[in-house]
Structures are given as C-alpha cells and as structure tokens.
Amino acid sequence: MAAAKKSKATEARIYDSFIVGAGISGLCAAIKMKKEGYHDFKIIEKAQRVGGTWRENTYPGCGCDVPSSLYSFSFAPSSKWSHLFARQPEILSYLEEVSQDFGIQELIEFGTELEQARWDEARHLWVLDTQTGGQKSQTLARTVVFATGPITEAQIPALPGLDTFKGEMFHSAKWNHDYDLTGKRVAVIGTGASAIQFVPQIQPKVKALHVFQRTAPWVLPKPDMNLGDTSKQLIDKLPIIQKTWRRAVAQSLNVINFGLRNPAALKPVSTAAKQLLRVQIKDRALRKAVTPDFTLGCKRILFANNYYPALQADNANLIPHGLVEVDGNTVIAANGERHEVDVIIWGTGFEVSHPPIGRKVINANGERLSDLWKDSSPEAYLGATMKDVPNAFLVLGPNVLVYDSFIGLAEAQLDYIIDGLKKIKARGISRITINPDVLRKHNEKVQKHLKGTVFNSGGCKSYYLDQNGRNFAAWPWSLAALKKRLSAFRVADYDLQYGVSEKRSAA
C-alpha cells in the first residue's frame, strides 16, 4: 500500500495546456483561458518581464504605427495614452499593467526558455524541455499554445568583411543605450519601420549620418497628436469616446485593407503621396531617390512626419543602394560609394518567413519543423494549426496578417484556439490534427486569391514573400472574413483520436 502511494505521489504532473511566451499573444491567451474557466495551464517567458517585442525594442523613437485606441486589448481599454499613437514605454507599461490586473503576472515562470517541444505519440502528450538559470526541467502537457510571435529574431546580413569592422555595431532591436552617438559617423542600414523612427532621433546628435536604402519605402504623414491631461480625463470618464475612437480607427483600416486587396483603388493615394513629396523635399535628386517604384501597399506602409526633414539635414546622406561590403571601418554600397564610419546600426528587420519556434518543435513524425521548412514554405490552417503537429496551436502563424492591430488579430485567433481547447477537453479528445485535405484546400485557395492583391502584384520584394516567392504572411480577404472564420472551432476540419493507455493525473 505504501509503495503504491509513493508511486502515485511521484507521478508526473500533466497540464491541460502549456503557453510559450508572455508577449501580447501569450498574455491574451492566459487571460482568455482564465475567463473561460480554463485554469490548468502553465506559462513560461524567457525574459524577466512581459512585453515581447515591446520589451525588446527600445530604440529611440520606438512606437506603434496603429492608433493607441486599437492597439490595446478590447477587454482592457486605457485612458493613459499620451499620444494618438503610443510610444514603446507606454505600450510596455500597459502590457505589464494588464498582466497584473488580470492576475497573470504571478502565473508566469520568468527566465524560463523552451529548449525543445516534442510530441510523444505513445502517450498523446507534449514533452517540453525547458531551462531556467542553467537548470533543466521537463513538463508534460496535453496541448500547447506557441505564442512566440512573428517578430522576434533580429536579422543581420552576412556581408563580406563584416568581421573586420572595429567600431560599434548593433541592431535596432538590441539598441546599445550605453554607447554615446554624439559626434560619431554613423551608417544606418535599411529604411524600414524601425529606421524611419530612430533616424530622426539620432540625426541631430551625430557628426555624419549615412542611410543605406535598398528600396525606397512609402512614407505617409502620421496623423499624430498629443493627448493632454484634459483629454485623458475625458476619455476615462466617458468610455463611449474610447469605443467610438476604436470603431473609427477600425473602419479606416478596413478602407486601407480594401485598397490592398484592390490595388487600383490606391492609385489616387499614391498620386497624392508623390505630389506631397514635391512639397516635402526640394532637392530633385533626393526626391527621386526616395520616390518608391512600386505600388503603394506592396511593402509595409510607413508613417512619419520627421523622417524626410532628417534626411535633408546638412549632416545626413541618403545612399539609394544597399550595403554590400565592409572593409575595416569603411562601408561600401552597391554602387561602389565608400564611407568611413564609427558605428553601424542595422535597421534590417526580423526573420519572419520561417517562425523561429520551428527550430524547437518536433512533430508526430519525429521531424523538426525548421528542417521541413528549409526548402518549402510554412503552412497552417487559419494561421493556427499545422500538419502533423497534434494538439498544438500557433498564434499569428502563416497567412493571417491583415493591415490592422496585431493585438486585434491575436484576440480573434485566440478565440478560435481556446474554443478548440474547450472542445478537446469536453469531448475527451486525446489527439487532434488538421485534416491534410482541409489544410491543402485552404492554402490553395489563399494563394489563389493573393495573386490579385498588392502584396503579390505590386512590383516589390517584401518580407511577405519567402525565398520561394510564396506569400506566407498575408490574408487575402477582409478582417471581417477572417474573424468570421475564426469565430468557431470546427472539429469537423480535424482528424481525431480518443483515449490513450496513459492514466491521466489529477489536475
């Protein structure tokens, strides 16, 4: 009898679910699970605080290009935003406050990194190997939610001679705040969303600023404004203002999304934007260099009021070519132009075409996802479930991106995922995988309809397209259509198994 009690006491704890990541998606998943009475889960975060990309990116001028009213959880509106478009410190503070208010902070195992997630076919369980401060441990879970986000791995190109550079060098996502840029000669590589925010901030400080632009982006005026104390108090006292503001922003983004699906509708906007460039930039050569040669929306539309003024400063130099080589402290452009610099700042974005979590996940066939994706494009059903990856869900996976708030997209997708978790538990399903035919037909239809969108036909090469030229990111229909598809988890789309020999432990 004593031996039997001892065996039962040492039996491995099995969680109903395991959440990886405590950024926007992970926090939302945990909050929604608790709301639905789903408490038997574990959540880990490799860093020491919540926030995800808003914790990692702290470069000068970092902020959101979606209005604050929409870049917040629908269930947790805030009246504390200082501007129409929130700054990074405010967004991070907001996420930390939400995690406290909803009782998630104390549930998170901080400083814990996932090393490997392996599906155990015999027991219909996920075996999750983690590490906390050098200590390795293992957790068992029936289901997993990978909430690691699509913007996590900073990308630095491997260029000839890069190892010969003796100056300071860092990526915008790993900003070195201890290094003083005052009086330095700086090369900025890239003109994407991050660069157009930090370039105006560092330009007044540096001695010389060389901005390497491989492709000119569309940069439209940012309709930002300061929200004073009076406005904040009014928004706090009258929630209808917040709701109306949120609805108005959503409607405006719907209009943009319509244009992205129907490129001809954006022609008047692009014409107006080019005319505006004549007013913003007097120098003809510079104006020609920053004028995009592709359809508006093909690459991410950027918003800024201070970027073009910064490029026209006396100490600034736009090089309309990519960086191809480094020779000691000399940076060399594709046209042969050479400049000696003290600092290289990489504004080269992130590895998004192949979700980094793929390196850590082993499917039901014993295959690592990243190995499967080497020569093919990642696919998922509604961006959430993948072939031969049972009982697992990916937040913001392939082909669900709409020009909208990432928070709104995560919320919609998690409603689908948590509905799935509830049905798995209620029906006693031990193994669930997306039906291969359903997955194939879904993605064939997605790719067919993407052909007419600006992403595929706009004449640019963007991060939406992977090395195979396949659009792995965008959703080809409206946000309303996506939310409708995500409104209920259709068990009929999946292959199911019930029961395993492994005896379940008490929750």
Side-chain angles (χ1 to χ4, degrees), residues 260-261 263 379 399 439-457 465 469-477:
L260 299 179
R261 301 193 307 274
E379 287 187 344
N399 294 111
L439 177 67
R440 176 181 55 79
K441 290 176 182 177
H442 168 74
N443 280 294
E444 285 177 354
K445 189 175 181 181
V446 165
Q447 293 302 317
K448 176 183 176 182
H449 284 265
L450 278 169
K451 290 179 180 178
T453 66
V454 71
F455 311 115
N456 286 41
S457 62
L465 307 179
R470 183 178 183 274
N471 191 325
F472 71 94
W475 173 258
W477 300 289

Side-chain angles (χ1 to χ4, degrees), residues 227-472:
L227 297 175
D229 292 337
T230 302
S231 298
K232 293 179 188 178
Q233 291 169 8
L234 196 61
I235 292 170
D236 186 48
K237 290 180 181 179
L238 299 173
I240 188 64
I241 295 177
Q242 181 85 264
K243 291 179 180 178
T244 303
W245 179 18
R246 187 180 181 93
R247 188 162 52 245
V249 172
Q251 288 172 349
S252 66
L253 293 182
N254 284 339
V255 172
I256 294 176
N257 279 313
F258 176 82
L260 299 179
R261 301 193 307 274
N262 302 274
L266 287 175
K267 284 186 177 180
V269 181
S270 59
T271 300
K274 288 182 178 180
Q275 291 299 322
L276 185 58
L277 273 176
R278 293 179 175 273
V279 177
Q280 294 174 303
I281 300 177
K282 303 300 181 184
D283 183 88
R284 289 186 177 182
L286 178 60
R287 187 167 66 240
K288 181 179 179 181
V290 299
T291 300
D293 61 357
F294 55 87
T295 304
L296 177 72
C298 182
K299 291 171 73 76
R300 181 175 173 181
I301 302 172
L302 308 179
F303 296 90
N305 300 323
N306 52 6
Y307 178 65
Y308 289 142
L311 292 184
Q312 296 175 84
D314 292 339
N315 65 336
N317 171 36
L318 179 79
I319 303 167
H321 300 277
L323 178 69
V324 295
E325 187 178 353
V326 177
D327 181 9
N329 277 27
T330 300
V331 289
I332 306 170
N335 66 339
E337 191 172 336
R338 302 168 68 95
H339 295 280
E340 189 170 343
V341 298
D342 307 301
V343 188
I344 296 177
I345 302 177
W346 301 97
T348 43
F350 302 85
E351 171 52 63
V352 292
S353 62
H354 290 67
I357 191 66
R359 295 197 293 269
K360 300 182 178 183
V361 179
I362 297 176
N363 69 11
N365 301 324
E367 302 162 312
R368 195 173 299 273
L369 296 189
S370 57
D371 292 337
L372 295 175
W373 295 340
K374 280 181 181 178
D375 301 313
S376 63
S377 304
E379 287 187 344
Y381 181 61
L382 297 173
T385 52
M386 298 166 286
K387 182 182 178 183
D388 297 323
V389 186
N391 297 26
F393 300 91
L394 182 63
V395 187
L396 299 176
N399 294 111
V400 291
L401 292 188
V402 182
Y403 195 86
D404 204 271
S405 163
F406 264 23
I407 291 183
L409 292 177
E411 278 197 55
Q413 204 172 23
L414 283 162
D415 285 342
Y416 174 84
I417 290 170
I418 292 171
D419 187 37
L421 292 175
K422 289 166 61 181
K423 287 173 178 174
I424 289 169
K425 188 173 183 180
R427 303 184 188 194
I429 298 169
S430 67
R431 188 185 195 276
I432 183 168
T433 48
I434 185 63
N435 181 283
D437 287 337
V438 171
L439 177 67
R440 176 181 55 79
K441 290 176 182 177
H442 168 74
N443 280 294
E444 285 177 354
K445 189 175 181 181
V446 165
Q447 293 302 317
K448 176 183 176 182
H449 284 265
L450 278 169
K451 290 179 180 178
T453 66
V454 71
F455 311 115
N456 286 41
S457 62
C460 75
K461 183 180 180 182
S462 73
Y463 73 79
Y464 288 98
L465 307 179
D466 64 15
Q467 78 275 13
N468 301 312
R470 183 178 183 274
N471 191 325
F472 71 94

Side-chain angles (χ1 to χ4, degrees), residues 21-154:
I24 288 170
S25 302
L27 292 178
C28 188
I31 291 169
K32 285 181 175 289
M33 281 184 181
K34 282 188 66 178
K35 182 181 177 182
E36 294 296 324
Y38 195 102
H39 298 286
D40 188 27
F41 64 86
K42 181 175 182 177
I43 177 170
I44 64 168
E45 167 55 54
K46 65 180 180 181
Q48 296 297 335
R49 60 194 298 196
V50 304
T53 188
W54 295 108
R55 177 193 62 238
E56 297 301 312
N57 286 268
T58 62
Y59 58 81
C62 183
C64 191
D65 56 9
V66 172
S68 316
S69 61
L70 202 61
Y71 204 85
S72 51
F73 295 118
S74 63
F75 51 79
S78 173
S79 59
K80 298 180 180 180
W81 307 116
S82 65
H83 292 76
L84 286 181
F85 292 80
R87 278 42 173 174
Q88 175 269 335
E90 290 180 308
I91 299 173
L92 179 58
S93 177
Y94 167 79
L95 293 172
E96 291 184 321
E97 192 173 292
V98 168
S99 70
Q100 291 281 9
D101 291 346
F102 286 86
I104 304 302
Q105 189 84 11
E106 60 265 28
L107 301 179
I108 303 169
E109 288 192 10
F110 289 105
T112 300
E113 185 168 8
L114 177 69
E115 291 192 327
Q116 180 176 277
R118 176 177 56 83
W119 174 252
D120 186 331
E121 188 64 57
R123 294 183 289 175
H124 288 184
L125 294 173
W126 278 98
V127 181
L128 302 127
D129 296 320
T130 60
Q131 180 173 273
T132 308
Q135 297 295 315
K136 296 180 182 295
S137 61
Q138 192 172 86
T139 303
L140 301 178
R142 298 184 183 94
T143 58
V144 180
V145 177
F146 295 110
T148 48
I151 307 176
T152 57
E153 302 264 332

